Each structure stands twice: as structure tokens, then as C-alpha cells.
Amino acid sequence: MSLKKPFFFGRRAALSGAGSFLLTSGVRAATPRFAPVREEDLLVAFGHTSPVTDGGWTHAHDMGIQALKRTYPKLKTLYVESIPYSADATRIFRQFVAEGAQMVISTSNYGDFIRDVADRAPAVAFMECDGHAVSGNLGWYYITHWYASYAIGVAAARLSKTGRLGYVASFPVPSVYAGANATLLGARSVNPEATMRVISINSWFDPQAATEAGSALVDSGCDFLCGIMDDPGYLRVAQDRGVWAAMWNTDMRQFGPDAYVSSVTLDFAKFYIEQVGARIRGDWKPEARFLTLGAGVDRDAWGQRVPEVVRVEADAVRARMLGGWSPFQGPLYDSEGKLRVAEGHVMNDMELYNWNWQLQGVSGLG
Amino acid sequence: MSSSRTRLTVVPTQRILVGRGLALLAALLIVAVTLAAMGRSPITLFGLVMHSTVGSRFGLEDLALFMTPLMLTGAAVWVGIRVNLWNIGAEGQFYAGATAATAVGLFTGLPPALAIPAMIVAGMAAGMAWIFVPAVARAWLGVSEIVTTLLLNFVASLLVYYLATGPWADRVTGALASTERLHVILPDIWGVVHWGFPLAVFTVVVLGVLLARSRFGYETAIAGANPEAARYAGISVAPRVLAVLLLSGGLAGLAGMVEVAGTVHRLQGGIANNYGYLGIVVALLARGSCLSLIPAALLMAFILDTGIVLQTTQISASAVLAITGLLVLAIAVGDELAAYARVKKTS
């Protein structure tokens, strides 16, 4: 099977302006319909940013895929791991389409690299985790991890003696801003003097660099490490240096049982089963979807050395958020001291998803 | 009368082709046996690879897209090797060229007819600028260009990460870790294949003719082969070393321009995709002939594309990397074996 026309549609449409990337493009007139397909005829292809054995982000998605395969045992799936954020990603997604996939799910952001392929294969359903574009056949999904990070931040302020938190980041992109800012905001709700120092390592999965960054942060006086890494690198540092650490993606306590506080844990099983089910029935639609606190993202069970009083306090905050309260309210200032969120304004999930400035008290990110 | 083997100093192309063919066959056999041992059918996989590379329209488009930057970075390294200079920094000059082209494409507001030539000039100039200090240091101070050009790769890569996530980051479409889409791009000519492909072929051909026929080509060849003899003949070596390295940097910068303006359309970290380093392999594959850069880039593109196809069949990325490495190693072994010829000894 080869890619046929309409070939030029993609680039032209993309050139027509930024509007085509925004959510509003969901109203595009020519929305293709996705006919029902039998389970045994459906091929779903997954594109991963790191190895499925990373123990973190991709592992969490792979767990979802395993659950999907238990629900639909006749479903055909394939995946490619460690896809670079480059034109190679386009090649791999094109290859998925060429091999007959009717549904392509990228478990990380690939922006134009997936958008270009989706535009040229209008009969294939595409979904992009951490994406931003909705088109006739491309939707995105993401987790509202900032609420879990906020609850962990509350615990961080109680556990840290110095009030200095260290954050091992990948790139200064919105999901990282949201993670770092939310954690510090949670910490400042308990200790208004708390600060956060960030080191970006230009990768989501580089255990050696994450370990070095963790060490540097401890050297600079941080006694609570957190971050957004696929691997447990800086948890081992925390264990060795006798400080605390909070992780991302999965339960990683076995790599540093004394240092482990909690983790922003992810569960994509229900979402993948629902989406593939919709594709089989023929009622799949491209849309923007947030998986919310308690329904796809949560804090992990607390670490063994986290005192009961800290658990109770942080969980009480979590319960309030589950009840609909949002801690992301103005006034909020950026690290330059400029008022960014006015008093009385509550940041909605889209604003939190697009957070691209560092909160007062955070340094080193942007 | 007995026969023995001697290493030839000049190896005929025919011998090289036979040597490489046999070595590749041996490597493919090893891969096939390994795949069979893993419980996979080598024949099915071979069929899929052929279909997805040379056997289908989209496969051919992908090969051409891969070849485009490889021909140019290959040429960048090749012009250096020709005169015994090793530019290991094509990766960095690629980044510099992509960055300068992006600046033109995003911030000048020129119409396409002017913007594209301006991007080409800016990309090449930036590649030259990136190699300028190592080139001067090599030409007049004898500082090894291998080390200096290599180290600047890391500087360029981090600079692009900084720009793409910092001052030039896209605030409009929410794209991550990249700049806004360029306002002017190289038009497509065949599916996803853009004007960069004919431009790269043209560049290689012109370069081949220029270096074979011009006074510059002759003098640099002499200066590279034997600096002492060149000096004796009245050719001053240092300016020619500088010129060759600047040409090399300019070609790598052009590769960066073509990749950002033709294929990726946004500046982002990692855009060089190792094309600078792969250019070294392409240049070595091409050996002494400039035009051979084209088939060498095709072979490299085929190997890279095969890697991608194999990954979609659930063969792990590390196994694919091992296979790619084995194929390149086989070619090197083939070249070496081809250099040994049986000669008859008469006593």
C-alpha cells in the first residue's frame, strides 16, 4: 500500500496560517468518517519516544497497551520505540500507514512530524499524546499532572528542611513549566519561603545526565529532588545522599526506598480501551482530551519514610482538588516579579497545559 | 613460481565494487541467520524492506529525502579528505547553516523568490563562519582541525536547543522545543521530495567538475598531497587550507539550510540527525570520486531506511543499530580486502 494523493494538501493547509494548528480547526468542514472495522482487522500502531523498558513514560503507555490487548485479544498492534524528534519520526509514521495501520497513536509530542503524515492519510485515525492540533483525523490527549504535582509539592515543603527543592527537567516546554511550577506552588502553600532550582538536561531519557543533574542540585543545597524523567536516575542520587525524591510516570520506589516520597503516576489503560473501542464501532472522533486526577493520573502511594501527618495533609489537598477546587488561582507572579495571573482568576486546564513562564521562586528554567 | 598477496596503493573501482558486494552479501547472510534464529522470516522481512524502500513510491520519496542532506554533508567531508583535511564538524556547521536560514525565513519578511536565495547564502556563510576559527588555526598554527571542528559540534547543538526553546521558541502553535514554522520553504517537486534534492545533486556535480578542472582544484590537490612540494612550486599552502575548509563548512551549512527549509520547516534541537557524522561515512564510501558521493549517499539512505522499516516489525532499535553498524563495517572490510591482489612472483 502506498500513500496516494491528496499529497499537496498537507503543506498548503499548514502554510495557510497558524490557525490550522489551533483547536478551532476542529470545525473544518471535510471531517472524514471512520467506518466500523472488525477487531481482527484493526491494526493500531504506537510510536514511542523512549524504549518500552524505560521504567517510566513509555513503560506506562505500554502497560496501557497490554491492558488494551487483554480487552481486545484479536486486535493487531505494533510499536516503534525511541523515535527521535526529527524527520525520522515522519518516516516511521509514514511506514505505519504504509503497513496498513488504521489507527496511529504517538505517545509523545511529535508536532509537525505527525501532522504532515496525518494530513496525507485522511482515512487513518491519529492521536498524539501532548499534542496541540486537532484536525479531521488527528486528536490529542494529555494528563492533568499539575494537580498531582501540587499535592506532592505540599509534602515536599513538609519534608524539606532547607526549603530548597531541585527539579531535573528535560526542556523548557509547557509540561515541564507546569510540573515545576505546580510543585513549588504546592510547597509554598505550606512554606512561602520555599524555592526551586531547575536543571534542564535536553532529554527525557538520559540516566547519566539525570544523575549528574541530581548530584549538582544536592550539592547546591537542595534536599528534595523532583523532576520529569523517564528513568530513576536522580532517585538513586537522593538515596545515596540522604535526601528526598519524588518521581514521574511509575512507582519507582525499589530504586531508592528510603528517599522515595511519591510519583506522578499514569494510567492510560482505560483511555486506550475506550478509543480503540470507538474506532472498532466506527464512532471515533478526533478531539482534545484531558485525563484528569484520579482518572489517568494521580500521586503514587506514599513512600515508606513519609510520616503519617504529611500523608494526611497532602491527601487532604488532593481530596479538595478531586472535589473541584483548583489551587491555580491568582495572584500569581513570574520569576521577574511580574503579575501573570490576576487576583480572582482561576487557571483552567488549557492555560495550565500551555504554561510557559516560570513561577516566582523557580529559577533555571526559562 | 609462486603467488602471494600484495596491498595495492591504487585500487581499481571494479575491485572495490566486487569487494563491497561480497562483503555486503556476507553481512546480509549473518543478519538473515540471526533473524531466523530470533524466529523471524528473513524472506518476509527482506520483501518488506525492498517494498518500503525501492519498491514503492513512498519508499523512493523517503530515500530521496534521506539522500539530500547526506549528499551535501558527504561532499563537505569529501572536499576535505581529498586534500588530507578532516572536517569532523559538519554536524555543527549543519546546525549553523540551519540556524542562519531559519533567521532569514522567520524574520526578514522577504518574498520567496528573494528569501530562498538569501537563505542559501546565509546558510553557507554561517557554515563557513562556524569552521572559520578551526580553519585559521589549522592553516597558520597547525592546530588539528579534527579536534576543534568536533568540539564546536556540541556548541552548535546546544545553541540550537537554546534558540529553539528560548528566544525563538514557537509561542503561536504550541509546538514544543522548536521555532515557528518557516514563512518560506523549499517547494515540493515529487510527493514529499523538495527542491533540495536536485540542488544537492547539482552541487555535487558542479563540485566534481570544478575540482577536477580548475586551477583551484589542482593547487589544493597538490597542497594536500605534498605541502613541501607545493611550497617549492610556489603555491602557498595556508590560504588553500583555509579555502578548502571554508568550502567544506559552506557545504555543510547548505545541508542545514536544505534540511530546515525543505524537510523539517522548523528549527529545533536534534535537527542535524547525525547527518554531519554520516557525511564522513558517505565521503569514505565515495573514495576518490566526487560523483560517487551520489551512489554513496543512496547506499547510506537505503541502510538508514532499512533500519526504520525493521523497527516497525518489532525488531528493537538497538538490534537495528547493530545491523546498520554491521553493514557499514562489512563495506570497510570489503574495501580493505579489495586492496589485496594476488600477484605472480617469478624468481
Side-chain angles (χ1 to χ4, degrees), chain B residues 5-345:
Chain B
R5 287 175 190 278
T6 315
R7 200 176 192 290
L8 305 172
T9 39
V10 179
V11 191
T13 310
Q14 249 177 325
R15 291 191 64 88
I16 290 287
L17 288 180
V18 172
R20 281 182 186 176
L22 290 176
L24 274 178
L25 216 59
L28 286 175
L29 208 65
I30 296 172
V31 172
V33 169
T34 315
L35 290 175
M38 286 162 70
R40 313 297 296 267
S41 155
I43 303 197
T44 316
L45 289 175
F46 182 75
L48 180 66
V49 165
M50 292 319 267
H51 176 76
S52 301
T53 51
V54 291
S56 61
R57 158 91 189 241
F58 101 96
L60 291 171
E61 286 178 23
D62 265 0
L63 283 181
L65 269 196
F66 255 135
M67 280 177 73
T68 305
L70 288 173
M71 281 187 279
L72 291 170
T73 54
V77 179
W78 185 87
V79 295
I81 296 178
R82 179 179 164 274
V83 297
N84 224 352
L85 293 168
W86 290 83
N87 175 13
I88 310 297
E91 187 92 351
Q93 296 131 27
F94 185 110
Y95 277 120
T99 305
T102 301
V104 174
L106 282 181
F107 306 121
T108 58
L110 290 171
L114 293 175
I116 287 176
M119 284 161 90
I120 291 175
V121 171
M124 293 190 75
M128 290 179 183
W130 205 254
I131 204 175
F132 184 73
V133 171
V136 169
R138 172 66 175 78
W140 280 279
L141 304 172
V143 178
S144 165
E145 77 284 7
I146 297 176
V147 178
T148 50
T149 54
L150 173 69
L151 291 178
L152 280 174
N153 289 347
F154 305 106
V155 180
S157 163
L158 290 172
L159 190 69
V160 168
Y161 270 120
Y162 166 72
L163 288 172
T165 58
W168 293 5
D170 185 355
R171 305 279 180 203
V172 182
T173 67
L176 300 188
S178 63
T179 66
E180 203 183 324
R181 204 172 171 105
L182 296 190
H183 305 151
V184 179
I185 60 173
L186 285 174
D188 294 340
I189 45 172
W190 188 61
V192 294
V193 182
H194 49 79
W195 276 100
F197 182 77
L199 178 68
V201 173
F202 177 75
T203 306
V204 167
V205 172
V206 168
L207 198 66
V209 172
L210 199 80
L211 291 180
R213 301 281 163 83
S214 72
R215 184 190 170 118
F216 172 77
Y218 176 73
E219 288 183 354
T220 52
I222 301 279
N226 190 338
E228 285 310 312
R231 269 181 213 110
Y232 187 72
I235 300 168
S236 49
V237 174
R240 280 158 186 87
V241 167
L242 176 68
V244 168
L245 285 176
L246 288 182
L247 175 64
S248 176
L251 287 166
L254 178 63
M257 176 274 163
V258 164
E259 184 73 1
V260 75
T263 305
V264 179
H265 305 143
R266 294 171 186 267
L267 183 69
Q268 57 171 62
I271 191 175
N273 216 8
N274 291 329
Y275 289 132
Y277 299 111
L278 292 168
I280 302 170
V281 182
V282 171
L284 290 173
L285 285 174
R287 298 177 66 91
S289 149
C290 189
L291 287 182
S292 297
L293 285 167
I294 297 169
L298 174 63
L299 179 62
M300 200 64 229
F302 178 76
I303 290 175
L304 293 173
D305 219 7
T306 299
I308 281 175
V309 176
L310 288 181
Q311 281 186 57
T312 62
T313 65
Q314 308 298 259
I315 293 170
S316 79
S318 357
V320 168
L321 201 63
I323 293 172
T324 315
L326 185 65
L327 292 176
V328 176
L329 177 71
I331 293 167
V333 171
D335 278 12
E336 193 57 24
L337 290 180
Y340 285 89
R342 184 172 288 152
V343 288
K344 283 181 182 156
K345 257 190 200 165

Side-chain angles (χ1 to χ4, degrees), chain A residues 118-169:
Chain A
D119 283 347
R120 285 158 198 257
V124 178
F126 285 84
M127 293 200 297
E128 181 187 17
C129 191
D130 198 11
H132 286 80
V134 175
S135 73
N137 62 328
L138 170 67
W140 62 258
Y141 59 105
Y142 200 57
I143 59 275
T144 59
H145 59 81
W146 30 88
Y147 301 110
S149 296
Y150 185 88
I152 291 170
V154 171
R158 288 290 179 223
L159 295 171
S160 167
K161 290 193 178 67
T162 61
R164 297 169 81 169
L165 318 184
Y167 195 96
V168 182

